[in-house]
Amino acid sequence: MKMITAIVNRKDSAAVCDALREKGYIFTKVASSGGFLSTGNVTILMGTEDHKVEEAVEIIRSNSARRMEPAAGSVVADYPMYSTIPAEVPVGGATVFVTNVEFYEKM
C-alpha cells in the first residue's frame, strides 16, 4: 500500500477532487497555504494499492494546470520591498509525494 500526498493549487483542487472521486478514490482534503506566495492550496491525502498509484498521479497531473499569475510584491535581499514593476510567477500544478505504508487499519 502507498500513501499519496498531493499539494494542489486551490484553483485546481475542485477538478482534481472530482476526477479522483469519479475513478473511485477515497481521500481526505486539507486546506493549506504555500510558503512562497502564501496562496491557498489543498493537500490531498489518500492511501491506495501499489498498482493504482500511476493512475492516481496521472489524474492529479492532468487536472493541475501550471499558469502564470501576477506577483503582488517581492523581497529584495533581507528587506521587504514591493516592486512597482509587474512581475509574473508560475503557479498551479501539483507537488506529489508517494510513500510506503507499513501499517494500515480502517476503524
Side-chain angles (χ1 to χ4, degrees):
M1 172 155 267
K2 303 288 186 191
M3 172 69 147
I4 299 175
T5 305
I7 304 165
V8 179
N9 186 277
R10 179 183 42 84
K11 292 179 180 178
D12 298 325
S13 65
V16 170
C17 291
D18 290 346
L20 288 169
R21 258 188 234 101
E22 284 177 19
K23 291 291 188 173
Y25 289 94
I26 298 170
F27 54 87
T28 298
K29 181 171 77 164
V30 181
S32 55
S33 63
F36 178 59
L37 296 175
S38 297
T39 57
N41 293 322
V42 170
T43 300
I44 297 169
L45 306 168
M46 67 180 178
T48 190
E49 299 300 325
D50 292 7
H51 68 277
K52 291 185 161 189
V53 170
E54 279 187 46
E55 178 186 49
V57 171
E58 183 52 38
I59 290 169
I60 296 165
R61 178 182 291 114
S62 63
N63 288 281
S64 301
R66 300 255 322 147
R67 61 194 160 277
M68 299 298 283
E69 288 188 2
S74 59
V75 176
V76 178
D78 290 329
Y79 305 99
M81 299 178 68
Y82 291 92
S83 172
T84 57
I85 301 169
E88 288 192 332
V89 294
V91 297
T95 302
V96 178
F97 301 91
V98 179
T99 52
N100 289 322
V101 175
E102 291 187 32
F103 178 78
Y104 166 78
E105 181 178 354
K106 191 167 185 171
M107 296 181 201

